Amino acid sequence: MNIVGSCFSCYLTTGPFSRSAVNFNAGCKTAMSNIIMAIAVMFTLLFLTPLFHYTPLVVLSAIIISAMLGLVDYDAAVHLWNVDKFDFLVCMGAYIGVVFASVEVGLVIAVAISVLRLLLFVARPRTFSLGNLPNSTIYRNVEQYPNANNVHGVLILEIDAPIYFANSSYLRERITRWIDEEEDKLKSAGKTSLQYVIFNMTAVGNIDTSGISMLEEVKKTTDRREIKLVLANPGAEVMKKLNKSKFLENIGQEWVYLTVGEAVEACNYKLHTCKQAESQPWNNV
């Protein structure tokens, strides 16, 4: 059929999943098995049909089910479960759709779950706090590196995705929660109140107007709390849009730094300068 169809505008022909399962368990290796199977089915329909007239359908179903079970790769499913639970869900959705409906339904379920995963990743990007690795100027996720030290009076946050309209509201709420938690932690420890919030924007490849509005709202929130907002390593495209929207003018060009290390050093310097300025009148007295 494929040979004849190749001479015309025909779709490729193939067998159902149950036939493929039976062929696989029978040890078939090439498409030549389809020709042999077709000949066998032809002779069966012409001459052997009366012998199978009283065969229960449950027997035929059992043959197909037992053959299909041999195609299930249990090790691959266990591997997906151990590596990524969402990939395992995609696999099981496709499997259930194929077994209880059709190949098309299984494919639609798998694609729908994958698209849902993508939307969740875009709508709820990861944000995490950074700390300083001992004896270095490197800043990493404090959850991944427990030995990373927090900088007193400075909260360093990293946004691990572009900022769009789909995630701007979530990021605003998440950043506000980070600030509240950090202030509560400092108050309970009796340490210096939060003075600076640094955004590491290395992973922010792009930003739209909703994202810029989110940054402006965060800026207003930090201003009310007398906290300074600092940006570290924004990309060229992000810088261009922030400049056109006048956000850089609002925050101040002097509060944009190339690296997190430079931003932390500048914040520590200003904190130290402010402390000296506050203590100077008492020294004069």
Side-chain angles (χ1 to χ4, degrees), residues 142 166 275-276:
V142 294
K275 289 181 179 179
Q276 286 185 339

Side-chain angles (χ1 to χ4, degrees), residues 1-14:
M1 292 177 66
N2 283 320
I3 293 174
V4 176
S6 63
C7 300
F8 306 95
S9 299
C10 297
Y11 287 106
L12 294 177
T13 56
T14 184

Side-chain angles (χ1 to χ4, degrees), residues 44-45 47-60:
T44 301
L45 292 176
F47 306 109
L48 303 178
T49 302
L51 299 178
F52 298 98
H53 180 71
Y54 297 102
T55 302
L57 292 179
V58 66
V59 175
L60 300 177

